[in-house]
Amino acid sequence: MNPTDITPGITPDTPLVGDDLKAYLAELIGISPAEIADDDNLIRLGLESLHVMRLITKWRRADIPVTFGEMARTPTYSAWNERLTEALAARDTGSGS
């Protein structure tokens, strides 16, 4: 995989949530989505900090206001999915986060 494009098919217009987010995280880690429990630590499962930084950059380009520190404090699928879902809803209604 080209290190400059770790998110093939993902554009600023298509932030992932739900099962799509879990499947994508599993792909980055190199495991199946079924191996990611909602509260598993994604870093301990093998998600690299560089991947996290690149994902955050893409999310911010999509007007999803997240920070590395925020996501690193709770590096679980359930926390990320909740945060991204809330941010997308806020963005789409124009209320901010």
Side-chain angles (χ1 to χ4, degrees), residues 39 43 78:
D39 292 323
I43 307 301
S78 61

Side-chain angles (χ1 to χ4, degrees), residues 14-65:
T14 59
L16 300 175
V17 294
D19 290 338
D20 292 333
L21 174 62
K22 186 178 273 191
Y24 189 71
L25 291 169
E27 182 180 326
L28 289 176
I29 296 168
I31 60 177
S32 79
E35 294 177 77
I36 300 177
D38 289 352
D39 292 323
D40 280 347
N41 183 309
L42 297 168
I43 307 301
R44 288 189 184 138
L45 288 177
L47 186 65
E48 298 177 15
S49 61
L50 181 59
H51 289 152
V52 177
M53 289 186 282
R54 288 185 173 160
L55 285 169
I56 289 167
T57 297
K58 288 194 178 281
W59 292 330
R60 291 177 65 108
R61 286 184 187 147
D63 294 324
I64 306 297

Side-chain angles (χ1 to χ4, degrees), residues 2-3 6 8-9 15 21 28 30 32 42 66 69 73 77-78 82 87 89 92:
N2 181 342
I6 64 144
L21 174 62
L28 289 176
S32 79
L42 297 168
V66 296
R73 275 191 297 279
Y77 160 74
S78 61
E82 181 179 341
D92 293 344

